[in-house]
Amino acid sequence: MAGILARDLPSWPLGDNATDTIIGGVHFNVTTLNHWNYTLYTGNWTLSNWSRCYLVDQPYTPPLLLNNGTFVNSTWCYLATQPSGPRANIGVGFAVAFALCLVFVLVNLTRHGKLYLPAEKRFYPIGRRWQWYWAIFICAAALIGLFTGIDVDRYRVVELPLVLNVFFWFLMNMGSLALVWESVRHWGSWMERQFIDPNPFVLQQTDRRGMFEFWLPLFFYLWWWLDFFLVIPRNWGAVELQRDPEQTITKAIPAATDVRFKIAPFLLFISWLTILVSLWHSVRHYEARNRGWLNRVIGFIRYVPFRFLLMIPLGLVVIAYQALAAWEFNYSPLKKDTNLVAMYVGGYVPALLLVIILCVSGFLRPNEDKDLIRQRRERGAELDRELGIQHKPAWWRRVRGEVGTGDVVRDQLYRNVREVGGGQRVQHVAEQRAANAEVASTTSNAFEMSSIHRAPSVASRTAPPPYTPAGKLNQRRADQTVQVAASLLFPNASSPSSHPAPTGNGSQDREPRTQPSGSYNRSSSTRSSVSITAPPQQIRSMLDV
């Protein structure tokens, strides 16, 4: 134990003679003890020669001292042999509270970190999760520090548990301030996201406002990291030197109240002021503006979420207690027998309340993507009301039979028909015409007209052919063809033409002009005598048929 100073130490207890001493009811050789530089400390009943330390009170008194300076069945000083004290008991209670908060933090992280909209480059998903990450960091640091703080009371000689306890306490303080910052920063980002959602081009990212929001987080974390490098990287062994009152005064107190510990709270205070500036900036740009200083102050308090009215002062309490511990050692957690009320009320209660407030507000607030979907739906409904559009309920299409057929193109056509005023009747007619067109395409011949079918007789069991819709031109061609065929087959029948027969001399005996013998065109005469008396056609190729 290089840090133990042997000043004004009592002499060896008297034994049977000058070379004998009795410690804990066991006789030891004084000559051997002096030869190996052992010193007895009756304040905590330890025996040490600055390299080895043993407990010598009952029931830890070693039964035998060997000539080489070692003890038989000895107990090392740096073991948890004492019962847990009030510091450990209170710490276990706070550890349980932080463990419960950790569960709720994970639930809220899942609740608010889940995406229901595509990720945007302007608003990264990790931005909304940072506050929950810092809450997890606070709970983890508090749990480690509090559980290691149990052994602070159980160690008779101050050792590593005290260092671990205060090490993670400082990390917890830094995490608490980062939690407040990320909560405020993300609230401003959420306000910007709602502000530009109706029109993404209303705010630019390269203007003065956007650049201020870009540099402000860097400014905050600059001072935050400076505080980290002032507090964390150091020789923590000097804090352990509280094994003797004189040693505490000469070694521990100067190490626990040095200049670096005193400068660190001011750096955190600059970071805390940056949080206020960020909050003011968000209210100024994304909320309605008021005129006059008094109205602005009232509007600022009204626009700021209620959780920030609690979290920001608690962040200031964290900084204030760290500054108090840097100037007053009796209230510092670095002291073994410190004031427990000041330590837990000023050191752990603010961090615990910050996590609790964040969890409660997380359960009260919806997921941001869901809230943004709701706002878009409300804006759409408002626009529909302004345009006079009334949407039918979900069951309306099923009742009217307007259910998709599985064909995307056909469903789109039916939807277009319904939008211009059609309904089930138009859809039914369209389906019937489509079916008729398919039948007509399979039964069509080389002529551009409908096929001529024999009219079914009364005794026929077959159904008439389906009607094929055609234009007026095709209908006239079909009628003319029927008339020509009828005049050839039935020459004595009267012409179905409604025009009167021409009158005049020789009009009935006049023969039509015949084509030359080399022509293969069909005669336009409708008289059967011409076809009978005319010379037969000479077929030269299949094209004449």
Side-chain angles (χ1 to χ4, degrees):
M1 294 174 53
I4 296 182
L5 299 178
R7 295 183 180 181
D8 300 331
L9 296 177
S11 60
W12 298 103
L14 297 177
D16 294 342
N17 50 46
T19 60
D20 181 69
T21 182
I22 300 176
I23 302 175
V26 179
H27 292 269
F28 295 99
N29 192 333
V30 176
T31 304
T32 305
L33 293 173
N34 291 331
H35 175 74
W36 294 104
N37 252 345
Y38 280 107
T39 303
L40 177 65
Y41 295 89
T42 57
N44 53 12
W45 287 102
T46 59
L47 192 65
S48 173
N49 64 350
W50 290 21
S51 61
R52 299 175 183 176
C53 181
Y54 303 99
L55 300 179
V56 293
D57 60 334
Q58 291 294 337
Y60 307 107
T61 307
L64 180 64
L65 173 63
L66 303 179
N67 292 331
N68 59 1
T70 60
F71 292 88
V72 177
N73 293 334
S74 60
T75 302
W76 191 248
C77 291
Y78 309 111
L79 294 176
T81 58
Q82 302 298 109
S84 60
R87 179 169 182 161
N89 297 332
I90 300 175
V92 170
F94 274 91
V96 172
F98 276 105
L100 293 176
C101 290
L102 180 60
V103 176
F104 294 121
V105 168
L106 294 176
V107 173
N108 276 286
L109 176 60
T110 305
R111 172 188 174 92
H112 292 275
K114 189 174 182 180
L115 298 180
Y116 294 91
L117 291 174
E120 302 178 22
K121 185 177 180 181
R122 191 168 182 176
F123 303 100
Y124 291 100
I126 196 174
R128 70 175 79 171
R129 300 169 185 165
W130 266 118
Q131 53 186 328
W132 305 107
Y133 292 155
W134 282 118
I136 294 174
F137 177 83
I138 292 173
C139 294
L143 287 173
I144 297 174
L146 290 169
F147 279 119
T148 55
I150 296 175
D151 289 338
V152 173
D153 292 337
R154 301 190 64 200
Y155 272 64
R156 186 176 299 184
V157 178
V158 179
E159 244 290 317
L160 185 62
L162 178 64
V163 174
L164 293 177
N165 180 254
V166 297
F167 179 85
F168 285 99
W169 176 75
F170 277 109
L171 291 179
M172 184 190 67
N173 287 347
M174 298 179 64
S176 300
L177 202 65
L179 169 65
V180 179
W181 158 255
E182 288 297 336
S183 300
V184 173
R185 182 206 58 79
H186 173 64
W187 178 75
S189 177
W190 167 236
M191 297 299 294
E192 179 187 4
R193 188 181 182 188
Q194 297 178 91
F195 191 84
I196 69 171
D197 188 64
N199 182 9
F201 304 101
V202 68
L203 294 177
Q204 298 181 1
Q205 294 181 270
T206 57
D207 58 356
R208 183 177 181 181
R209 175 204 56 83
M211 298 307 298
F212 183 83
E213 294 178 356
F214 172 80
W215 290 106
L216 194 62
L218 301 179
F219 183 81
F220 171 86
Y221 282 109
L222 169 66
W223 301 101
W224 190 87
W225 280 108
L226 287 176
D227 175 79
F228 174 84
F229 288 112
L230 278 178
V231 173
I232 301 303
R234 65 171 54 243
N235 181 18
W236 291 93
V239 180
E240 302 176 3
L241 302 179
Q242 304 180 39
R243 299 150 186 165
D244 182 80
E246 185 176 358
Q247 188 186 59
T248 302
I249 295 174
T250 58
K251 299 292 184 180
I253 294 179
T257 58
D258 63 356
V259 178
R260 294 174 62 184
F261 277 128
K262 291 179 179 179
I263 295 177
F266 290 99
L267 301 181
L268 289 181
F269 183 71
I270 296 177
S271 299
W272 184 81
L273 293 178
T274 308
I275 296 174
L276 293 182
V277 173
S278 176
L279 188 63
W280 168 80
H281 173 82
S282 301
V283 173
R284 178 173 178 266
H285 286 277
Y286 308 122
E287 296 289 355
R289 297 185 180 182
N290 298 316
R291 294 184 178 181
W293 287 102
L294 181 59
N295 293 333
R296 290 182 180 179
V297 172
I298 296 175
F300 179 83
I301 297 175
R302 187 175 70 250
Y303 293 139
V304 171
F306 179 72
R307 63 181 183 276
F308 293 157
L309 299 179
L310 302 177
M311 296 175 68
I312 293 178
L314 287 175
L316 186 61
V317 172
V318 171
I319 301 173
Y321 178 71
Q322 185 172 333
L324 176 64
W327 266 273
E328 187 59 44
F329 183 71
N330 293 327
Y331 297 101
S332 174
L334 282 74
K335 184 180 179 181
K336 180 180 182 298
D337 300 320
T338 186
N339 188 324
L340 297 180
V341 176
M343 173 183 169
Y344 283 105
V345 173
Y348 288 93
V349 170
L352 181 61
L353 291 178
L354 285 174
V355 178
I356 292 175
I357 293 172
L358 185 68
C359 291
V360 173
S361 64
F363 283 116
L364 296 179
R365 291 180 286 116
N367 181 281
E368 294 179 2
D369 285 354
K370 288 186 175 181
D371 196 19
L372 206 61
I373 294 173
R374 178 191 59 81
Q375 295 179 18
R376 293 176 180 177
R377 188 183 300 112
E378 291 179 355
R379 288 197 301 269
E382 182 65 25
L383 293 176
D384 290 343
R385 284 193 296 269
E386 293 178 358
L387 297 175
I389 301 175
Q390 185 178 3
H391 293 279
K392 302 296 189 298
W395 50 265
W396 183 264
R397 295 181 60 190
R398 293 192 296 269
V399 172
R400 295 175 57 87
E402 300 174 357
V403 184
T405 61
D407 189 350
V408 179
V409 178
R410 178 170 293 184
D411 292 342
Q412 182 66 30
L413 293 175
Y414 292 161
R415 186 159 50 250
N416 295 339
V417 170
R418 288 192 296 268
E419 288 180 358
V420 298
Q424 289 186 352
R425 184 183 61 81
V426 177
Q427 180 177 348
H428 177 70
V429 172
E431 292 178 352
Q432 184 178 3
R433 288 183 178 180
N436 295 338
E438 294 178 359
V439 175
S441 62
T442 58
T443 59
S444 61
N445 50 22
F447 297 96
E448 294 182 356
M449 61 181 180
S450 300
S451 301
I452 303 175
H453 300 276
R454 179 182 176 185
S457 61
V458 178
S460 176
R461 296 181 180 179
T462 60
Y467 169 74
T468 301
K472 294 183 179 180
L473 179 60
N474 294 339
Q475 184 66 31
R476 286 196 297 269
R477 289 180 178 177
D479 294 341
Q480 292 175 2
T481 304
V482 172
Q483 292 177 6
V484 171
S487 62
L488 293 176
L489 295 176
F490 307 101
N492 296 328
S494 60
S495 175
S497 176
S498 58
H499 298 284
T503 57
N505 297 330
S507 60
Q508 300 292 336
D509 300 329
R510 186 179 298 164
E511 294 291 336
R513 183 179 298 177
T514 59
Q515 298 290 339
S517 60
S519 176
Y520 303 104
N521 295 332
R522 182 182 292 247
S523 174
S524 60
S525 175
T526 58
R527 296 180 60 184
S528 59
S529 60
V530 177
S531 300
I532 296 173
T533 59
Q537 292 183 351
Q538 296 181 2
I539 299 175
R540 297 182 180 180
S541 66
M542 292 299 296
L543 298 176
D544 296 332
V545 178

